Amino acid sequence: MKEQHKKVLRICSQIIFGVYLIFLAYFLFFAESMGRSFEGRTYHYNLVLFKEIRRFIVHRETLGTMAVVLNLFGNVAAFLPFGMILPVMGRRFRSFFFMTLLTFEFSLVIETIQLVCKVGSFDVDDLLLNTIGGMLGYLGFAVMNRIRRAKYEKSI
């Protein structure tokens, strides 16, 4: 790939990543439709792994399909771009282990901010689901990168 093309791709990925972070911050901290308000909030947290996941599965009919999908799949989907875009931005992000650790750390920061600001809740299940999302995003990047490289090598 030509250096000029790489530079444009990195700049575009940085812009897309910035927009992604803005949307993520909005939905995690400010979206009233997602139950994010600062009025009368107390500290909410879950430190028992699989407790909330189990609750959403067991009580899916009571909670409703939308609540289950938003909680379980939404947490995964929200971090797919994190794992997919960062490796495009630089080679240092092209390690599955490093991206998994970085996704976990980023999710931990978000969950901690939610706890301190009393917006949403600190949930270890969210940490797990977010990390899985970042891992799947990275795997998506790796597959697409492999396909791109194979196609590029054939055209040479």
Side-chain angles (χ1 to χ4, degrees):
M1 188 183 298
K2 295 181 182 176
E3 286 302 314
Q4 183 65 23
H5 185 90
K6 285 182 183 180
K7 186 175 182 178
V8 169
L9 187 60
R10 283 198 179 106
I11 290 171
C12 287
S13 65
Q14 289 170 347
I15 292 168
I16 292 169
F17 191 71
V19 170
Y20 159 73
L21 290 177
I22 290 168
F23 277 105
L24 190 65
Y26 171 75
F27 283 110
L28 292 175
F29 300 109
F30 304 109
E32 289 182 15
S33 64
M34 305 292 282
R36 311 293 190 223
S37 70
F38 291 96
E39 296 177 22
R41 292 293 304 205
T42 58
Y43 293 110
H44 293 276
Y45 56 89
N46 166 38
L47 302 176
V48 179
L49 192 58
F50 299 114
K51 178 180 178 182
E52 287 297 307
I53 292 173
R54 188 178 312 112
R55 184 176 71 87
F56 272 89
I57 292 171
V58 170
H59 300 289
R60 66 187 171 278
E61 291 182 16
T62 306
L63 296 169
T65 304
M66 189 57 126
V68 174
V69 168
L70 277 176
N71 188 301
L72 300 181
F73 297 106
N75 278 309
V76 173
F79 278 74
L80 283 169
F82 189 84
M84 206 172 251
I85 299 169
L86 274 178
V88 176
M89 291 172 52
R91 288 196 172 275
R92 67 180 177 263
F93 301 116
R94 293 193 184 166
S95 160
F96 180 77
F97 177 76
F98 181 71
M99 280 305 300
T100 300
L101 185 61
L102 193 61
T103 304
F104 176 79
E105 289 173 348
F106 183 61
S107 179
L108 182 61
V109 166
I110 288 172
E111 293 293 320
T112 303
I113 291 171
Q114 285 182 329
L115 177 67
V116 170
C117 294
K118 300 178 186 176
V119 177
S121 65
F122 183 97
D123 188 352
V124 294
D125 291 343
D126 287 353
L127 287 172
L128 174 66
L129 294 170
N130 295 344
T131 303
I132 289 170
M135 293 165 70
L136 291 174
Y138 179 82
L139 291 175
F141 161 79
V143 167
M144 289 187 291
N145 194 41
R146 182 167 288 212
I147 291 169
R148 181 193 59 82
R149 286 178 177 261
K151 188 175 183 180
Y152 179 74
E153 288 174 5
K154 285 182 182 179
S155 66
I156 294 180

